[in-house]
Amino acid sequence: MSGPTVLLTDAAPAKAASTRRSALLGGGGRALLGLLLPLLLAGAWEIAVASGFATGRLLPPPSRIGAALWSLAASGELWTHVAATLIRVGLGFAFGAGAGILFGALTATLPPLRWLLDPSLQALRAVPSLAWVPLFILWFGILETPKVALIAVGVFFPVYVGVAGAIASVDRKLVEVGRIFRLSPLALARRILLPAVLPATLTALRTGLGLGFLFVVAAELMGASEGLGYLLVDGQQFSKPDQILAAIISFAVVGKLADTALVTLTSPLVRWQDTARETL
Amino acid sequence: MLSLQSLSKTYADGTRALEAIDLAVPNAEIVALIGGSGCGKTTLLRLVAGLDRPSAGRIALDGEPITGPHPGVGLVFQEPRLLPWLDVAANVGFGVSDLPRRERAERVAHALERVGLAEHAGRWPRELSGGQQQRVSIARAFVANPRVLLLDEPFSALDAFTRKDLHRHLLALWEEVRPTVLIVTHDVSEAVALADRAIVMRPKPGRLDESVALPLRRPRDPAAPASEAATRTILGALDRSLRPRDAARTPELAGGSSF
């Protein structure tokens, strides 16, 4: 009897230690590990500038970037710029994603329309979206319209391709289940096609949103009096690298928050999926 | 009565999947269609289900022609084909969404109980095993109270133990609703376990060959001498079906050979 007992008491602490170690590296521990490198680099740069090894004129230390961010936020200026950028991305995303879903759904379900439209759209897709900038400025001036149009164009194509592809690849076998139960075309669309294309559509929307932020920078670089992109241009013209970096950090935060909001708002719709999505 | 009259199916590429199928199945009979791959078993079921149109011939259920998916005809596919975005109960109730909410819930609960999955009603299909998923798909077909139930090798992907368990569930549901059942299988012991009649099919083009009546009492014991004799008879018929057709011999479909 004593043999197995001894073995058990020997094994127990080892096992506890290994679970403790994996708990440390799991969840919060892993997140901290990811922060280690940027924090180390930032701290090293801060010390280098503070001790006079570097001037920090072109690459300001974290404390000066933080101060720039703080003063922008405290004066309320930052929020004006963030709001301007968000409104542009929001409008452009709404128009681009709406049109992308509409055209994607139409061309995927109606073959004649696909033969008519898809070649032209694919040709337009091959044009780098920034190539439209001069034309849009000629057509729409330099105010909000060309910016929103550029973002909408950037968002449109990934959403269009994603939605059309999702509809085209709906499992024929599931459609047959709908046919066996004699669903009307409308019920088939609502009860089988729509849920089946939802995950791929949401992925396409996420890609579209990411591109929306890409194009809002381009749009604001081409001339704006407010917006995070304007902060970038302003920082370049008046040689304020701390402001440029503050704007870049704001872009990262706002973009990540928008993406997280999109995922959080839509995740109840695809709760049924296998968990791969959670790791994205 | 489910009747098929000189039913043929030639696919667009010229493949003659079925040729001149004549078959009459009285109500509540269980018929097993046996044959190797490529003899048109699945095509035959898809025609009866109304998923495909025959090239020639007609199908009628109690005198009413079948030209498309029919409310009296249910189909259980080879794969469970559950909708991954619906929980188990919603999958079972998928085909009866026009019923009032309460009646639907009652029928779904009853069917789930019948296939032994009552406690899994709220789970996602992906959380179930293959055998459980196929039980859900059988329950989904039964909830609509079909007069004819078609099963397309529904148990072929499952292990022998699970298969036997599902035979039991299938027969329990059948006892209750008593639909006409057409089950396609390539497993002779499955035919002997379930069917009142086994029909052997010949390939290229698909035709019905010999028919073996299985007047055994249920529940059936696969090891009983009667079951073993029936298995041998069907195996013999299968063997003959694979040989080149003897021109003089006519298929004995009307009465069928017994053993």
Side-chain angles (χ1 to χ4, degrees):
Chain A
M1 278 307 278
S2 69
T5 322
V6 169
L7 273 178
L8 269 176
T9 47
D10 269 359
K15 198 173 169 228
S18 82
T19 47
R20 211 178 310 132
R21 200 175 319 134
S22 62
L24 192 73
L25 280 179
R30 224 170 284 167
L32 284 179
L33 200 61
L35 281 176
L36 192 63
L37 190 63
L39 284 180
L40 265 181
L41 287 175
W45 188 241
E46 185 76 51
I47 292 167
V49 174
S51 56
F53 282 113
T55 59
R57 193 173 60 82
L58 288 178
L59 182 58
S63 59
R64 287 218 333 254
I65 300 170
L69 252 182
W70 177 254
S71 73
L72 281 171
S75 68
E77 209 183 333
L78 183 65
W79 312 121
T80 321
H81 295 305
V82 166
T85 295
L86 274 181
I87 287 170
R88 284 171 192 141
V89 173
L91 281 175
F93 180 72
F95 285 125
I101 290 173
L102 183 71
F103 278 90
L106 285 176
T107 56
T109 46
L110 305 171
L113 215 55
R114 172 163 68 247
W115 303 326
L116 178 72
L117 290 178
D118 192 61
S120 306
L121 288 174
Q122 295 295 346
L124 287 178
R125 189 165 80 97
V127 178
S129 302
L130 291 181
W132 298 111
V133 169
L135 206 52
F136 283 178
I137 291 178
L138 272 184
W139 286 350
F140 305 120
I142 53 162
L143 294 178
E144 292 305 305
T145 319
K147 298 188 179 66
V148 172
L150 179 66
I151 297 165
V153 167
V155 172
F156 172 80
F157 286 106
V159 174
Y160 166 74
V161 171
V163 169
I167 294 176
S169 61
V170 168
D171 193 350
R172 179 188 57 84
K173 293 177 169 177
L174 294 186
V175 175
E176 274 183 356
V177 172
R179 287 184 59 204
I180 277 290
F181 289 112
R182 300 175 318 288
L183 297 188
S184 67
L186 201 67
L188 194 73
R190 185 175 62 81
R191 298 182 62 191
I192 296 199
L193 294 182
L194 193 63
V197 303
L198 207 51
T201 303
L202 294 181
T203 307
L205 286 180
R206 270 183 90 182
T207 313
L209 187 62
L211 282 175
F213 274 98
L214 181 71
F215 284 107
V216 81
V217 181
E220 289 176 345
L221 286 181
M222 75 195 191
S225 54
E226 53 184 17
L228 291 173
Y230 161 79
L231 280 185
L232 293 174
V233 180
D234 185 67
Q236 182 208 333
Q237 283 171 349
F238 294 94
S239 191
K240 292 186 281 190
D242 48 350
Q243 181 180 316
I244 295 178
L245 284 164
I248 288 175
I249 290 170
S250 306
F251 261 123
V253 171
V254 170
K256 178 67 186 164
L257 285 180
D259 183 62
T260 309
L262 184 67
V263 171
T264 315
L265 287 176
T266 55
S267 64
L269 298 173
V270 288
R271 198 161 43 101
W272 51 271
Q273 267 201 309
D274 262 329
T275 49
R277 191 180 157 82
E278 286 163 21
T279 61
L280 290 179
Chain B
M1 168 84 83
L2 173 71
S3 72
L4 317 182
Q5 286 165 16
S6 49
L7 201 63
S8 298
K9 175 73 181 176
T10 307
Y11 283 111
D13 62 357
T15 317
R16 288 189 303 163
L18 288 175
E19 197 163 82
I21 303 285
D22 283 294
L23 178 65
V25 187
N27 287 340
E29 191 185 25
I30 302 181
V31 171
L33 296 166
I34 309 184
S37 43
C39 61
K41 304 183 304 268
T42 296
T43 303
L44 182 57
L45 279 203
R46 290 179 62 87
L47 293 181
V48 178
L51 287 177
D52 292 334
R53 302 296 304 274
S55 311
R58 59 190 297 271
I59 308 165
L61 173 58
D62 298 327
E64 193 187 331
I66 288 181
T67 54
H70 187 280
V73 181
L75 173 59
V76 174
F77 295 95
Q78 192 165 357
E79 328 80 32
R81 297 203 188 181
L82 304 181
L83 303 174
W85 51 86
L86 297 179
D87 66 13
V88 166
N91 261 293
V92 173
F94 184 79
V96 290
S97 51
D98 46 347
L99 287 181
R101 184 177 291 270
R102 249 196 58 206
E103 192 187 343
R104 186 173 71 213
E106 275 167 19
R107 273 167 65 172
V108 167
H110 180 73
L112 276 176
E113 204 171 306
R114 271 273 171 255
V115 296
L117 292 173
E119 73 274 28
H120 296 311
R123 305 185 74 167
W124 298 115
R126 65 177 150 88
E127 297 172 315
L128 304 184
S129 69
Q132 289 172 324
Q133 291 188 12
Q134 197 56 287
R135 266 143 77 186
V136 174
S137 124
I138 291 172
R140 175 174 70 185
F142 265 101
V143 155
N145 279 339
R147 278 182 281 161
V148 173
L149 182 66
L150 310 167
L151 298 114
D152 185 6
E153 301 192 23
F155 313 129
S156 57
L158 306 172
D159 63 272
F161 186 78
T162 312
R163 202 178 307 163
K164 211 175 151 199
D165 188 44
L166 283 176
H167 290 163
R168 201 167 47 77
H169 286 299
L170 178 66
L171 285 174
L173 279 165
W174 173 78
E175 285 287 352
E176 203 175 281
V177 189
R178 295 193 68 82
T180 305
V181 174
L182 229 56
I183 178 168
V184 158
T185 178
H186 53 233
D187 177 0
V188 174
S189 65
E190 185 161 277
V192 174
L194 295 174
D196 297 309
R197 177 155 56 128
I199 300 176
V200 173
M201 292 186 73
R202 292 173 68 97
K204 284 178 197 165
R207 281 153 299 170
L208 301 186
D209 200 48
E210 288 179 55
S211 165
V212 178
L214 300 163
L216 312 175
R217 237 184 319 167
R218 296 187 174 94
R220 293 175 178 176
D221 173 10
S227 296
E228 288 187 337
T231 306
R232 271 196 302 278
T233 312
I234 297 173
L235 284 173
L238 262 174
D239 243 13
R240 283 190 292 280
S241 80
L242 294 175
R243 282 184 216 145
R245 185 181 272 279
D246 173 356
R249 201 172 55 80
T250 48
E252 310 148 68
L253 266 178
S257 66
S258 202
F259 51 89

